[in-house]
Amino acid sequence: MKAANKEFEHPEVIGQSRSFGSNGPVYHILEPSRINADGGWLLKVEVPVSCEVIEYPYAQLVADPLAV
């Protein structure tokens, strides 16, 4: 997927399930969304407990643990 004419460089995270921090709810990574003003990627993630789809920074996402 492209946004702002730049290819998302980490497609391996798409489809993963992670949790917000060590005790937070699980979310599922759906797709790259766009590049923010700081030049970092935002990804669309689904949070099943709240039925929300939100944009979440890639830089934060990689710090979150994989959901078990």
Side-chain angles (χ1 to χ4, degrees):
M1 168 167 279
K2 292 184 178 183
N5 295 323
K6 185 176 177 184
E7 191 77 25
F8 181 61
E9 298 170 347
H10 304 282
E12 67 280 359
V13 301
I14 305 304
Q16 289 182 347
S17 295
R18 293 181 176 251
S19 62
F20 294 108
S22 59
N23 296 317
V26 170
Y27 62 90
H28 306 294
I29 304 163
L30 301 176
E31 63 184 356
S33 180
R34 62 188 174 92
I35 297 172
N36 66 20
D38 295 332
W41 277 95
L42 295 173
L43 284 81
K44 286 185 182 177
V45 303
E46 177 186 27
V47 186
V49 296
S50 63
C51 298
E52 293 179 280
V53 174
I54 61 171
E55 289 184 323
Y56 193 57
Y58 174 79
Q60 286 182 269
L61 178 148
V62 294
D64 288 338
L66 289 169
V68 180

